[in-house]
Amino acid sequence: MSLGPIGIFDSGIGGTSIWREINRLLPNESTIYLSDSKNAPYGEKSKEEILRLSIKNTEFLINKGCKLIVVACNTATTNAIKELRDNFDLPFIGIEPAIKTAALNSKTKRVGVLATKGTLSSSLFHSTSMSHASGIQIMEQRGTGLVELIENGELNSPKTKALLERYLSHMVNQGIDQLVLGCTHYPYLIPLLKDILPDNVKIIDSGDGVARQTKYILEKYNLIDPSVSKADFQFFTNKDVKVLDSFVKDARVPYKVSFLDF
Ligand code: DGL
């Protein structure tokens, strides 16, 4: 079992930001990444639909022999991880907006959260906010349209910039000093966000924490691959191979991107 790959899925290419962190921390672990871009964005779908897609993605990765699954999508985590853990007998690592870190760091006691509708309306997001942010004003903003622009490769277009400015101006005017990126697609907007945000606003994402948790769980369950043979990195997408490739091509490892009729 410890020879199996780590499975990672997202509604699209966003989870490649998580894959990069995992690969940096666990370079000897093989991975299989599934990008369900055909069904992106998940953030506008119902909880039932997000759960159905998450189960389908999980079954694909289990059939590929994965030993652990990283749900590299805040929307799928906040809407489906409990059910996934209840229904499948392997460890799951999820990702949630890093409210706790932001709340601890905030001096102005005002924290902005940019995430999908599906994440912001989930009960898991609300219980996390309640338990970690007492005395902190959390300012939520849906990033409607951003996932589509990122999937389209528009990381720096005037349209993306205008949308971000529109979404963030209110919380910036209200004095936030932390902006939590609650969607795994959004780290690709960090260069643009740095142009838009005042210098005192810190951008927080959860990728590094997810990688550390993945390592911790692999060690805990004795699932670290003991072989020193070369790890293998496979990426699957049910939409555009070129788009997924463009998000991983900076990886300094040999990898393969394939189309999947899924
Ligand atoms: N990467 C997903 C997330 O972290 C994007 C959700 C979507 O497809 O709307 O929430």
Side-chain angles (χ1 to χ4, degrees), residues 10-11 14-15 40-44 72-76 116 119 147 182-185:
D10 180 35
S11 62
Y42 281 12
E44 300 294 316
C73 175
N74 292 260
T75 311
T116 68
T119 294
V147 165
C183 170
T184 55
H185 283 68

Side-chain angles (χ1 to χ4, degrees), residues 155-224:
L155 307 184
N156 204 1
S157 73
K159 198 170 162 192
T160 308
K161 187 167 188 217
L163 200 55
L164 277 179
E165 281 170 340
R166 179 150 71 81
Y167 287 160
L168 300 177
S169 62
H170 178 65
M171 52 174 84
V172 167
N173 291 339
Q174 294 290 313
I176 60 157
D177 65 351
Q178 313 285 315
L179 176 66
V180 177
L181 303 185
C183 170
T184 55
H185 283 68
Y186 300 167
Y188 287 112
L189 299 176
I190 288 175
L192 195 51
L193 284 166
K194 284 189 172 156
D195 277 355
I196 293 172
L197 293 169
D199 290 344
N200 72 313
V201 178
K202 190 161 186 279
I203 301 168
I204 312 252
D205 75 77
S206 324
D208 172 53
V210 171
R212 279 186 280 115
Q213 180 68 4
T214 303
K215 183 166 185 267
Y216 170 75
I217 294 294
L218 288 180
E219 285 169 349
K220 181 173 169 185
Y221 292 106
N222 239 342
L223 290 172
I224 292 279

Side-chain angles (χ1 to χ4, degrees), residues 109 157 170 237 243 252:
K109 305 289 175 212
S157 73
H170 178 65
T237 176
V243 170
R252 291 197 197 94

